[in-house]
Amino acid sequence: MAADIKRFPSLSHWGAFTAVVADGRLQACEPFALDQAPSPILQSMPGMVHSPLRIARPAVREGWLRDRERADRGARGSDRFVEVEWDVALKLVADELARVRTTHGDTSIFGGSYGWSSAGRLHHARTQTHRFLNAGGGCVNQAGNYSWGAAQFLLPHVIGTYSPVTGRVTDWNSVAAHTRLFVAFGGIPLRNTQITSGGAGEHSAPRWLARAREAGVEFVVVSPTRADVPEGIEARWIPIRPNTDAALMLGMIHTLLTEDLHAADFTRTHCAGFDRFADYVLGKSDGQPKSPEWAQALCGVPAADIRGLARRAAGTRTMLTCTWSLQRAHRGEQPYWASIALASALGQIGLPGGGFAFGHGSMNGVGNPRPAAASPEMSSGANPTGRSIPVARIADMLLRPGQPFEFNGRTDVYPDIQMIYWAGGNPFHHHQDLNRLVRAWSKPQTIVVHDSWWTPTARRADIVLPATTTLERNDIGGSSRDRFVLAMHQALAPHAQSRNDFDIYRELAAMGGYEAAFTGGRDEFQWIRHIYDGMAAGWREAGFDAPAFEDFWRAGHLELPEPAREFVLFEDFRRDPAAHPLKTPSGRIEIYSERIAGFGYDDCPPHPAWVPPAEWLGADLAARFPLHLVTSQPGDKLHSQLDAGVVSAANKLHGRERVRMAPEDAAARGIQDGDLVRVFNDRGACIAAALVLDGVMPGVAIMSTGAWFDPLDAALERHGNPNVLTLDAGTSRLAQAPSALSALVDIRKWEGEAPAVEAFEVPAISVRAA
């Protein structure tokens, strides 16, 4: 008898799709019909939804169940779990929240979680977690994000907003029509454009790149690897040493200044402090001219190429763009600030197809033409404590309670965290120096985690509550970078005893006496309707039609029209800076920031500068670790999501992540393509499979992140997670953002039998006796 096949519209961060279900199981994910370049990552979803790694029932770490806050915290990750009933688990969580708040205060609770849990806006784990904790008295939150944390806190000082790094940049229509030279610092890696925070109805980057090339746009890609050069656009590749883009930009500005090619009128009328910055570039303030020859010694790009690129940019309509990865490095503020200074010297900011942008090749939807209309959103409410730490300073916080730290012009002290509540996200993927994080993770008395799978984070919790996946609940999703809003219909029954985060928190809030504050008096479907109605009101205010909720839900999606005119970043400001000032102290682009100068940070000067990172190929440490490790986003999963899926598994070798090496570097170490290798530095080591190929700059090793953390011990990670090697230090005291892209390593061929990968094994579990 034929199976009863049903189809349900849904959405993921890697694209919209139709869930095909038969006999209660997900059979396939059919890409959204209007998506011309759907992501193959969708193929991993059926296996993951029904994976043996799913968490079936609430579970409590055996040692914690026996000894509570006095339990051996070092046993997290190795201890057995005991399955308990939901009423038992919820009482344990509620009692622990009450005990910690009463004994240690609201600021002893850290609301972890991260933003990539779900494309749905209601069942967005970070939002739900903070809404719940805020309703109960508050917690310590996180400021910024790992994706563009340095830019988020630098750009408001320089241009009055960080909106350009979120994707709101001069759109592709303007680029195709007016840009003649498109210079991409960090490249345009199309693997990253499979992903959009909040989901996407269309993967638009390939289409827009092709259209721009057909229109005659010349592309130049500046990156350590040719893999960051998209096929089909005939781009020129300029190899560069990692972390030295700011030096190259300074060399270009030097050329513009010394050859009288800079836009003096623009820098005088639209910029603040450009003359002081020019003195630095010309060497008047420190005795060192930032000439192309000076830059060549740092970045490895020939001085003639630097001069030639500067002259070409000055002679035509030029768009400069930087990937997010450039600012995820030690002193990562500098290349972003330098790119704005370079664009200012070229004088094309606010012109169609000219100026600067961020994030092309970092996420789908950057520069996508979209009207300025609302997208679905839900508030987590105000945090009564008002306390937060920079997002990437988790280990510092846990290891240094009560110690001061500086951040964006203020001084604070790290709170003494006794309880971590985490739902959504995997810090044992995205944080740096994971061996240090393991040590820090043993400090709190209690860790509660909601998860759908036995991830590295779930395995290191004291109480684990099984959460549904997006296909096991109703939701609504959409992104401010995409023209589609998607209905997400529940396609499957919840796995085993898993529950929605919303329902878990509603019951816990009821036990704590603040259910109404958390729920707002709405259930799941009432919230979805409320989110839609709020968005629809915004659409109508902006002049766009929005159907009744029932019609939207039935149709499965809603589409905004493409805007009637091009969007040009800072167009109004360029036309009349007095009438349309920027939200900076001067109202202009602050090439020299008096405010930052007042902070007195020696690691972030008041203008763009070459500030050597702690680890780069010019550092003394390179004598011991002569390879610069570039940790890229994976093309076969979203961060660590779906790492156990078929698409990710197919790209591994010997069950481990690959490390890409230049032929010269491999030959010098006796390494051949496919060999198992040990990648190491003083922070740790991991096993990977060597991929030897042309197109990687000598002295550079490249590894994708996302392999589930699988340590044999503190000395060796078995699966190929490169974050056991990365630097856990803030970019500077200004932004305190992650510095993962500043890491020196060496590589040696693995000798003998390698330990087996155990990342995808379920922890030992027993059932509590009645």
Side-chain angles (χ1 to χ4, degrees):
M1 184 175 180
D4 182 17
I5 296 177
K6 297 180 180 179
R7 287 176 162 81
F8 304 86
S10 197
L11 179 67
S12 68
H13 291 300
W14 44 95
F17 64 97
T18 297
V20 181
V21 176
D23 297 328
R25 293 184 67 85
L26 180 65
Q27 304 297 315
C29 295
E30 296 176 347
F32 185 49
L34 298 178
D35 191 353
Q36 299 180 32
S39 170
I41 294 174
L42 286 170
Q43 299 169 20
S44 282
M45 292 186 67
M48 289 299 295
V49 168
H50 302 294
S51 169
L53 288 165
R54 289 294 302 270
I55 302 171
R57 285 165 286 279
V60 184
R61 185 168 68 87
E62 188 173 56
W64 191 93
L65 186 61
R66 181 182 61 247
D67 299 323
R68 300 299 197 270
E69 69 271 18
R70 296 178 297 279
D72 177 8
R73 302 166 200 172
R76 290 177 182 138
S78 60
D79 215 349
R80 173 186 296 272
F81 281 90
V82 179
E83 289 183 341
V84 299
E85 297 301 322
W86 266 106
D87 60 341
V88 174
L90 291 173
K91 188 175 187 305
L92 288 172
V93 174
D95 288 351
E96 192 63 5
L97 280 165
R99 182 191 70 81
V100 172
R101 288 192 192 278
T102 300
T103 306
H104 303 285
D106 297 319
T107 58
S108 67
I109 298 173
F110 181 62
S113 309
Y114 200 55
W116 288 98
S117 57
S118 170
R121 295 301 88 186
L122 169 60
H123 295 294
H124 182 249
R126 176 180 170 84
T127 301
Q128 290 292 339
T129 300
H130 288 106
R131 186 177 179 86
F132 165 70
L133 292 174
N134 291 343
C139 63
V140 175
N141 202 340
Q142 298 158 291
N145 61 57
Y146 284 83
S147 296
W148 30 262
Q152 181 171 349
F153 298 107
L154 168 73
L155 293 181
H157 295 293
V158 180
I159 57 174
T161 177
Y162 65 84
S163 63
V165 80
T166 71
R168 188 64 168 165
V169 297
T170 296
D171 69 29
W172 278 108
N173 276 322
S174 185
V175 168
H178 304 284
T179 303
R180 297 281 68 93
L181 177 65
F182 191 101
V183 183
F185 293 95
I188 316 173
L190 286 181
R191 65 181 178 275
N192 294 344
T193 65
Q194 298 179 85
I195 305 301
T196 301
S197 178
E202 179 192 18
H203 290 90
S204 58
R207 173 169 64 88
W208 284 113
L209 282 171
R211 178 174 164 183
R213 182 57 191 152
E214 290 169 3
V217 177
E218 173 189 356
F219 288 90
V220 174
V221 168
V222 182
S223 169
T225 171
R226 193 189 297 273
D228 289 341
V229 181
E231 294 182 4
I233 63 170
E234 304 173 63
R236 175 190 173 196
W237 175 40
I238 298 180
I240 187 172
R241 290 176 187 142
N243 291 189
T244 64
D245 297 80
L248 187 150
M249 295 174 195
L250 293 170
M252 292 177 66
I253 296 169
H254 185 276
T255 298
L256 299 178
L257 292 172
T258 56
E259 298 186 8
D260 199 24
L261 296 174
H262 74 292
D265 288 345
F266 182 85
T267 59
R268 182 178 62 255
T269 58
H270 289 73
C271 300
F274 188 87
D275 289 345
R276 299 178 72 173
F277 168 66
D279 286 346
Y280 167 77
V281 174
L282 296 172
K284 294 180 181 180
S285 59
D286 66 356
Q288 174 59 68
K290 312 309 178 292
S291 66
E293 287 75 18
W294 167 86
Q296 173 182 323
L298 299 171
C299 67
V301 178
D305 290 350
I306 297 173
R307 279 196 182 86
L309 186 58
R311 292 166 180 163
R312 174 74 177 121
T316 192
R317 186 61 55 85
T318 300
M319 173 64 72
L320 308 175
T321 187
C322 298
T323 57
W324 294 347
S325 61
L326 295 190
Q327 50 86 64
R328 285 199 298 268
H330 204 222
R331 313 307 182 226
E333 296 87 357
Q334 300 311 315
Y336 267 41
W337 205 348
S339 72
I340 295 171
L342 176 56
S344 298
L346 291 171
Q348 299 179 24
I349 295 171
L351 291 178
F356 64 88
F358 306 115
H360 290 101
S362 295
M363 186 165 65
N364 182 62
V366 174
N368 195 37
R370 182 189 188 277
S375 55
E377 60 182 27
M378 181 180 181
S379 172
S380 59
N383 182 0
T385 73
R387 294 293 303 276
S388 65
I389 62 160
V391 66
R393 303 273 56 81
I394 295 175
D396 285 356
M397 173 186 70
L398 296 176
L399 292 169
R400 299 172 53 204
Q403 295 298 305
F405 68 94
E406 294 179 273
F407 172 46
N408 200 21
R410 65 179 175 87
T411 299
D412 203 343
V413 296
Y414 286 120
D416 189 2
I417 297 299
Q418 300 299 326
M419 183 176 187
I420 293 176
Y421 207 124
W422 202 287
N426 177 10
F428 288 92
H429 152 69
H430 59 243
H431 198 68
Q432 292 76 58
D433 193 352
L434 292 181
N435 288 320
R436 183 171 186 256
L437 181 61
V438 168
R439 296 193 295 273
W441 205 251
S442 69
K443 298 300 181 180
Q445 295 177 354
T446 303
I447 298 175
V448 179
V449 168
H450 298 196
D451 215 323
S452 305
W453 296 272
W454 281 108
T455 64
T457 301
R459 295 181 65 137
R460 288 166 175 78
D462 297 313
I463 304 173
V464 180
L465 303 181
T468 54
T469 66
T470 56
L471 288 169
E472 297 160 357
R473 59 206 184 206
N474 295 297
D475 213 330
I476 180 173
S479 167
S480 61
R481 290 161 291 274
D482 187 69
R483 292 188 296 111
F484 294 89
V485 176
L486 283 300
M488 302 170 65
H489 292 191
Q490 182 175 340
L492 300 168
H495 172 77
Q497 293 185 17
S498 58
R499 296 184 182 179
N500 301 337
D501 295 312
F502 177 81
D503 293 332
I504 296 170
Y505 288 137
R506 176 170 54 184
E507 190 160 348
L508 286 170
M511 296 169 75
Y514 47 92
E515 180 180 7
F518 170 69
T519 67
R522 300 182 185 95
D523 63 18
E524 177 191 68
F525 219 75
Q526 289 169 331
W527 262 112
I528 294 171
R529 182 187 294 271
H530 179 74
I531 292 169
Y532 176 85
D533 288 345
M535 182 206 73
W539 280 28
R540 296 183 189 113
E541 186 177 336
F544 300 100
D545 291 332
F549 173 77
E550 290 78 7
D551 295 331
F552 156 71
W553 193 255
R554 189 181 307 111
H557 75 275
L558 191 60
E559 179 180 2
L560 279 168
E562 194 167 301
R565 67 185 302 270
E566 301 166 3
F567 173 76
V568 177
L569 181 65
F570 294 147
E571 180 180 36
D572 292 339
F573 165 71
R574 181 189 182 87
R575 184 178 65 254
D576 191 339
H580 301 280
L582 303 182
K583 294 179 181 179
T584 59
S586 66
R588 295 182 287 173
I589 300 170
E590 303 230 340
I591 305 302
Y592 185 102
S593 169
E594 294 286 0
R595 181 189 290 160
I596 292 178
F599 296 161
Y601 296 154
D602 58 3
D603 54 3
C604 188
H607 59 71
W610 167 247
V611 186
E615 297 187 23
W616 68 294
L617 290 174
D620 292 342
L621 189 63
R624 293 178 54 218
F625 300 111
L627 298 175
H628 193 125
L629 177 67
V630 173
T631 49
S632 62
Q633 296 300 313
D636 48 26
K637 49 185 168 283
L638 168 56
H639 302 312
S640 66
Q641 288 188 50
L642 307 179
D643 185 41
V646 294
V647 179
S648 177
N651 284 328
K652 295 182 181 180
L653 187 61
H654 311 301
R656 306 170 207 263
E657 289 293 332
R658 301 172 186 248
V659 56
R660 291 158 175 79
M661 304 178 64
E664 303 94 312
D665 293 327
R669 293 162 174 79
I671 295 170
Q672 296 184 2
D673 190 69
D675 282 349
L676 283 181
V677 296
R678 177 174 172 263
V679 189
F680 63 97
N681 59 20
D682 288 336
R683 287 180 286 272
C686 66
I687 303 176
L691 179 59
V692 181
L693 73 171
D694 294 324
V696 176
M697 190 176 183
V700 174
I702 301 172
M703 289 186 72
S704 291
T705 58
W708 281 16
F709 181 50
D710 184 32
L712 178 66
D713 50 38
L716 183 66
E717 198 278 336
R718 295 171 284 201
H719 195 199
N721 186 317
N723 271 329
V724 298
L725 306 164
T726 49
L727 177 67
D728 187 15
T731 51
S732 75
R733 286 178 286 170
L734 179 78
Q736 291 285 9
S739 299
L741 271 293
S742 299
L744 293 176
V745 301
D746 204 354
I747 301 177
R748 290 289 182 266
K749 183 176 179 179
W750 184 269
E751 301 292 346
E753 185 175 354
V757 174
E758 298 181 6
F760 303 131
E761 293 187 7
V762 174
I765 298 174
S766 61
V767 179
R768 185 177 187 178

